[in-house]
Amino acid sequence: EVQLAESGGGSVQAGGSLNLSCTASGFSFGDFERGWYRQGPGNECVWVAVIDVRGRLYYGAAVEGRVTISQDNAKNTLYLVMSSLKPEDTATYFCAADSDLYSWCFDFKYRGPGTQVTVSS
């Protein structure tokens, strides 16, 4: 059974940090492009960070410089370290994998249920 399970969300004040994790089962992250997306209160859905099949890293403009994506192949787990958080970062963050990932959200082949991040001013 394919599953994606995120953890690490929570509530922080502006300027704070959070570390998110996403563990996959039933498939290998390494076989797909994989990354983090977020869906905000207005239901807008955008990319945060992606690792392509060659291991290259890509970051959304809204978060670049403040987040780092990484992966532990042995644990089949994706990570997102976030710092200098802003209230506008408030969203449900979820991990996703597919043969190709883009800066916009779509019907991902694999998608986790998400973890809530709330940043207060």
Side-chain angles (χ1 to χ4, degrees):
E1 181 185 3
V2 171
Q3 281 189 332
L4 287 171
E6 301 95 341
S7 62
S11 297
V12 297
Q13 290 194 325
S17 302
L18 281 174
N19 298 332
L20 307 184
S21 300
C22 171
T23 299
S25 57
F27 75 99
S28 174
F29 266 133
D31 292 336
F32 301 91
E33 296 195 339
R34 54 278 187 196
W36 290 92
Y37 289 75
R38 67 186 187 187
Q39 193 151 16
N43 226 31
E44 69 280 11
C45 187
V46 296
W47 73 323
V48 177
V50 163
I51 303 176
D52 74 8
V53 291
R54 296 184 179 183
R56 294 175 295 193
L57 311 182
Y58 301 90
Y59 295 97
V63 299
E64 191 162 17
R66 300 188 294 117
V67 306
T68 301
I69 187 172
S70 63
Q71 180 178 338
D72 186 327
N73 293 328
K75 295 181 179 180
N76 208 23
T77 298
L78 203 60
Y79 302 100
L80 187 71
V81 176
M82 304 190 294
S83 61
S84 302
L85 285 164
K86 306 175 182 180
E88 51 264 44
D89 293 320
T90 294
T92 298
Y93 287 70
F94 63 93
C95 54
D98 209 321
S99 53
D100 294 289
L101 292 181
Y102 307 98
S103 60
W104 58 90
C105 295
F106 57 99
D107 188 16
F108 301 102
K109 182 176 182 65
Y110 303 122
R111 171 179 174 162
T115 184
Q116 179 66 34
V117 171
T118 302
V119 185
S120 57
S121 57

